[in-house]
Amino acid sequence: PVPKWALITVAVAAAVLLLLFLICIINCCCCKKKPKKKERVNLHAVSSSTTASLVQPEIEDLEQDVEQRGRGRLQYSLEYNFRAQELKVGVKQAAELKAMDSGGTSDPYVIVYLTSDMRKKYETKVYRKTLNPVFNESFTFLVPQAEVPESMLVMQVYDFNRFAKHNIIGEVRLPLASVNLQHVIEQWSDLVVASKVEEEHLGEICFSLRYVPSTGKLTVLILEAKKLKRMDSDGLSDPFVKVHLILNRKKWKKKMTSVKKNTLSPYFNEMFVFEVPFSQIQNVDVVISVWDHDKVTKNEPIGKLFLGCRATGNQLRHWSDMLSNPRRPLAQWHSLQPPDVVDKALGLKSHLKLPLPPI
């Protein structure tokens, strides 16, 4: 017979082995080793065009890269006189310009201007049959210190052609806000493809509108303008504002502010009241135009805009807000637009003055 203590020992050992076996099973099922995280692209889950872009650049990108490179470099200098408020731009030289002529050379020259005053442009001399011209010319711009951060210097290198249109080789655009003008700057920059023709900044004007349907009174308050285009040789203007009422595409009524001398940021605060019956308010356009006064020659328009039911964008929103809030004056800033663009949008029929329609 087996002793009793031996049976107990065997039973305990069997229980321990069974417990260890159960623990191993639990560890294998519930505590599997986590795989390392790796960023992988599943090429089967994406389209063929996207897959191609992962391994090679688009043909258009390659063409743009080739187009951007190989136009050459331009060396220039900048010096700002804080007392005289003048920016002196030195066009030093160019190197490795793109050949534009059949003989493998170019006839380069440089045009320099500021986007804040595109009427004033300077040109260097033309250098014949060279890809590495030395210009060593300097030009001075009158730039008030307050306008420096908003100005951009543009230097465009052209290839001269006596019998055809001059081809642009490339350009350098330098925002003056990104430059430390406390010191004289001299540096090289790569030429890039020239930007499309930019729209000239004509300025902004702030005015309020108020309409009272019961009395038929339309009030236009011309408050102020800022950043107006320079019209005079001294870099300033003599601005004044005209307010026209257009009825059924014909000029109807006109009033104007006083002239503010030698400023690009005039303050007017002048109010005009027009009688416009409620039955005609939907057919009326209000034209706001800023002009430069000149004693000797004809006054020149700086920019225009119009409001009414035919307007768009901010002008239409301003007009709609006025009609939605009768008796309440609503002021807003607007950007001036080229006069010919506004005149074309208005499509005026004639300049005859119409009598006031009956109420």
Side-chain angles (χ1 to χ4, degrees):
V2 180
K4 189 176 181 181
W5 60 269
L7 293 174
I8 295 174
T9 302
V10 171
V12 171
V16 171
L17 289 173
L18 181 61
L19 181 61
L20 291 175
F21 181 70
L22 291 173
I23 291 174
C24 289
I25 292 176
I26 292 172
N27 285 337
C28 290
C29 294
C30 302
C31 301
K32 289 183 178 180
K33 188 177 181 180
K34 294 183 180 180
K36 292 182 179 179
K37 292 183 179 180
K38 290 184 179 181
E39 294 182 359
R40 295 188 179 185
V41 179
N42 184 5
L43 298 181
H44 299 286
V46 294
S47 63
S48 58
S49 60
T50 308
T51 305
S53 67
L54 293 172
V55 295
Q56 66 181 19
E58 293 285 348
I59 295 177
E60 291 180 2
D61 295 339
L62 288 174
E63 290 176 351
Q64 281 186 350
D65 189 45
V66 172
E67 188 72 13
Q68 288 285 359
R69 290 180 299 152
R71 295 185 171 271
R73 299 177 298 142
L74 182 68
Q75 186 188 33
Y76 55 91
S77 65
L78 296 176
E79 182 179 358
Y80 187 71
N81 187 327
F82 286 88
R83 180 173 296 179
Q85 300 193 63
E86 292 179 343
L87 177 68
K88 185 177 180 182
V89 180
V91 180
K92 301 296 185 179
Q93 59 182 321
E96 302 171 356
L97 293 179
K98 180 180 179 180
M100 305 295 287
D101 300 337
S102 57
T105 61
S106 295
D107 302 320
Y109 68 97
V110 182
I111 293 179
V112 185
Y113 65 91
L114 293 172
T115 55
S116 56
D117 186 10
M118 293 173 58
R119 295 186 313 150
K120 195 169 187 178
K121 295 184 178 182
Y122 293 105
E123 293 184 15
T124 67
K125 295 177 182 178
V126 178
Y127 287 80
R128 300 286 182 179
K129 297 183 179 181
T130 178
L131 300 179
N132 300 283
V134 178
F135 300 104
N136 282 333
E137 297 185 42
S138 60
F139 311 103
T140 302
F141 296 90
L142 180 64
V143 188
Q145 188 173 344
E147 297 180 17
V148 169
E150 300 171 359
S151 300
M152 179 179 292
L153 175 66
V154 181
M155 294 170 284
Q156 297 177 322
V157 182
Y158 279 84
D159 172 51
F160 177 83
N161 194 322
R162 186 179 297 277
F163 304 106
K165 183 180 178 181
H166 301 180
N167 295 318
I168 186 166
I169 300 175
E171 71 176 13
V172 173
R173 286 179 175 260
L174 186 67
L176 297 185
S178 65
V179 180
N180 182 9
L181 294 176
Q182 299 289 341
H183 310 283
V184 178
I185 296 169
E186 185 171 313
Q187 61 188 21
W188 286 89
S189 290
D190 292 328
L191 295 174
V192 299
V193 177
S195 304
K196 294 181 179 179
V197 178
E198 58 219 331
E199 212 175 273
E200 190 174 10
H201 183 77
L202 302 175
E204 301 173 46
I205 185 169
C206 181
F207 55 88
S208 76
L209 298 175
R210 178 175 180 260
Y211 184 65
V212 181
S214 59
T215 60
K217 292 188 181 297
L218 173 65
T219 302
V220 181
L221 175 60
I222 305 297
L223 293 168
E224 59 180 315
K226 63 181 180 180
K227 303 176 186 176
L228 294 179
K229 176 183 175 181
R230 299 179 177 89
M231 303 295 288
D232 300 336
S233 57
D234 58 0
L236 298 172
S237 296
D238 302 320
F240 67 97
V241 179
K242 289 182 183 180
V243 182
H244 277 93
L245 253 60
I246 309 297
L247 178 61
N248 295 325
R249 301 195 178 189
K250 295 182 180 180
K251 288 187 177 180
W252 181 22
K253 298 179 180 182
K254 178 183 72 173
K255 295 185 180 182
M256 63 182 67
T257 68
S258 56
V259 177
K260 304 299 178 181
K261 296 288 186 179
N262 300 324
T263 178
L264 299 178
S265 299
Y267 180 75
F268 298 101
N269 197 27
E270 297 184 35
M271 180 185 297
F272 306 109
V273 179
F274 301 91
E275 291 187 8
V276 182
F278 183 71
S279 60
Q280 294 291 344
I281 193 65
Q282 299 290 343
N283 303 320
V284 168
D285 297 309
V286 178
V287 182
I288 309 291
S289 57
V290 182
W291 295 70
D292 174 51
H293 176 73
D294 200 312
K295 291 182 179 179
V296 181
T297 60
K298 189 178 179 181
N299 297 336
E300 294 183 81
I302 299 176
K304 291 183 179 183
L305 61 96
F306 80 96
L307 303 96
C309 295
R310 295 192 296 140
T312 59
N314 289 331
Q315 289 88 329
L316 178 60
R317 190 177 301 111
H318 195 178
W319 186 259
S320 301
D321 290 344
M322 178 200 72
L323 296 177
S324 302
N325 298 273
R327 302 179 181 83
R328 178 182 172 188
L330 297 171
Q332 188 172 323
W333 281 96
H334 294 272
S335 296
L336 293 172
Q337 302 170 6
D340 56 339
V341 173
V342 176
D343 291 342
K344 185 177 180 180
L346 286 169
L348 301 183
K349 294 179 180 178
S350 68
H351 300 282
L352 296 177
K353 205 171 190 179
L354 297 182
L356 181 67
I359 301 177

